[in-house]
């Protein structure tokens, strides 16, 4: 995904000029919204200086994390659910004490876009994991349970990421390091509840924007009118 570096940091930062401007114009509701954002969280950044893969990106954060369990959230997977996906995984971590990865079923012809698990036995939505493979060909995939970008990991992962093993696509893959952790620790996969949107590809980005816009009552009506206009006028020309 093309993400302007720093845009997330900026989103949650103080915007002094904007706040002043909104205050002077009496746009107090918007002002409150902007101020609420800047008070929500503190962000600490570690930049991955070379594009060497997801495993390498996580490894870059090792000093910051230290010897604690931690969460990984991939920004191009957006999940909408009653209970946040991460909370669902944290609850499973509390029960198992092992790394837990979020999974969902995907169509069989899409397995090569994901890390895929070979599930073992399950207790409801919680699966033990026999094996994990990054972006397998359709005929080699052990299932269609795909890793979606939410993980609760134990620091044990760094022992394996340290080796900088090059995997699928010539990159250092988190999935490969998880596979090694699984040999010692027994990691779990949890089929979380919720809708997942993929903003990492063009159509997914547009669909997600539309879905969220249609959930916003202040623009829903006008957007639907515009979509109706598009369908009526453009469809005939395609
Ligand atoms: C990454 C992971 C992959 C996972 C996917 C989920 O791949 O390597 O295992 O299934 O995110 O979105 P990427 O999308 O960065 O190629």
């Amino acid at each position: 995904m093309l993400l302007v570096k720093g845009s997330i940091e900026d989103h949650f930062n103080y915007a002094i000029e904007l706040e002043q401007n909104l205050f002077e114009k009496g746009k107090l509701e918007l002002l409150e919204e902007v101020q609420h954002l800047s008070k929500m969280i503190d962000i600490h950044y570690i930049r991955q200086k070379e594009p060497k893969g997801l495993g390498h990106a996580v490894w870059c954060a090792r000093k910051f994390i230290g010897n604690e369990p931690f969460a990984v959230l991939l920004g191009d997977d957006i999940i909408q659910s009653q209970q946040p996906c991460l909370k669902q995984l944290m609850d499973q971590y509390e029960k198992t004490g092992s790394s837990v990865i979020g999974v969902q079923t995907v169509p069989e012809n899409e397995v090569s876009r994901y890390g895929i698990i070979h599930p073992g036995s399950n207790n409801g939505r919680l699966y033990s994991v026999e094996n994990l493979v990054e972006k397998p060909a359709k005929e080699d995939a052990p299932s269609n349970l795909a890793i979606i970008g939410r993980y609760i990991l134990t620091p044990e992962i760094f022992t394996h990421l340290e080796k900088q093993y090059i995997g699928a696509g010539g990159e250092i893959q988190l999935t490969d390091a998880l596979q090694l952790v699984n040999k010692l620790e027994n990691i779990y996969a949890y089929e979380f509840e919720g809708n997942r949107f993929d903003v990492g590809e063009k159509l997914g980005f547009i669909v997600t924007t539309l879905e969220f816009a249609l959930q916003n009552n202040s623009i829903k009506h006008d957007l639907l009118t515009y979509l109706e206009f598009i369908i009526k006028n453009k469809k005939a020309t395609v």
Side-chain angles (χ1 to χ4, degrees):
M1 174 166 76
L2 179 65
L3 187 77
V4 180
K5 280 191 179 152
S7 57
I8 296 177
E9 192 178 16
D10 289 345
H11 182 74
F12 290 103
N13 202 355
Y14 287 105
I16 311 279
E17 276 177 31
L18 175 63
E19 288 179 24
Q20 184 68 24
N21 195 284
L22 291 174
F23 178 73
E24 281 165 12
K25 289 185 176 152
K27 296 184 174 173
L28 299 184
E29 248 178 59
L30 281 175
L31 176 64
E32 206 176 305
E33 208 174 303
V34 170
Q35 286 178 332
H36 173 69
L37 275 175
S38 62
K39 286 176 190 144
M40 275 173 91
I41 51 173
D42 286 325
I43 297 185
H44 299 264
Y45 260 87
I46 292 165
R47 288 263 165 96
Q48 180 191 25
K49 298 195 176 90
E50 300 155 280
K52 286 184 169 178
L54 176 59
H56 178 256
V58 172
W59 183 76
C60 289
R62 67 200 179 284
K63 288 186 192 139
F64 177 69
I65 292 161
N67 198 29
E68 291 180 45
F70 62 101
V72 175
L73 295 85
L74 305 188
D76 48 6
D77 285 321
I78 294 184
I79 294 154
Q80 203 174 32
S81 48
Q82 252 183 350
Q83 187 177 49
C85 176
L86 208 56
K87 172 76 171 95
Q88 297 179 44
L89 300 188
M90 283 162 69
D91 288 347
Q92 301 307 317
Y93 173 80
E94 293 300 328
K95 280 190 208 158
T96 63
S98 293
S99 298
V100 185
I101 51 184
V103 294
Q104 271 195 338
T105 53
V106 295
E108 271 168 27
N109 59 354
E110 287 180 15
V111 288
S112 62
R113 288 170 42 189
Y114 299 92
I116 299 290
I117 67 155
H118 177 182
S121 57
N122 71 303
N123 182 358
R125 292 176 169 269
L126 186 69
Y127 292 84
S128 66
V129 174
E130 295 284 326
N131 212 342
L132 306 97
V133 44
E134 181 67 13
K135 302 196 172 79
K138 185 179 164 187
E139 49 284 8
D140 299 331
S143 76
N144 63 342
L145 275 173
I147 302 173
I148 305 300
R150 298 292 184 277
Y151 311 72
I152 302 287
L153 303 178
T154 61
E156 177 62 25
I157 193 88
F158 293 117
T159 320
H160 304 289
L161 289 174
E162 189 85 34
K163 295 173 193 147
Q164 312 260 312
Y165 169 73
I166 307 290
E171 297 188 340
I172 300 167
Q173 297 292 353
L174 185 60
T175 305
D176 294 337
L178 280 166
Q179 162 75 349
L180 295 169
V181 173
N182 195 37
K183 296 203 165 125
L184 303 165
E185 193 191 81
N186 289 334
I187 65 172
Y188 290 88
Y190 187 69
E191 199 177 354
F192 60 86
E193 286 182 76
N195 285 337
R196 177 253 182 166
F197 299 95
D198 181 1
V199 296
E201 41 111 14
K202 284 182 205 162
L203 183 62
F205 181 81
I206 292 166
V207 168
T208 312
T209 308
L210 283 174
E211 284 282 352
F212 280 82
L214 289 170
Q215 291 174 27
N216 182 331
N217 284 332
S218 69
I219 53 174
K220 177 180 170 177
H221 178 75
D222 289 347
L223 178 59
L224 277 174
T225 308
Y226 180 63
L227 290 175
E228 275 160 15
F229 166 81
I230 291 189
I231 290 166
K232 215 166 123 202
N233 291 281
K234 308 262 174 175
K235 216 176 168 186
T237 63
V238 177

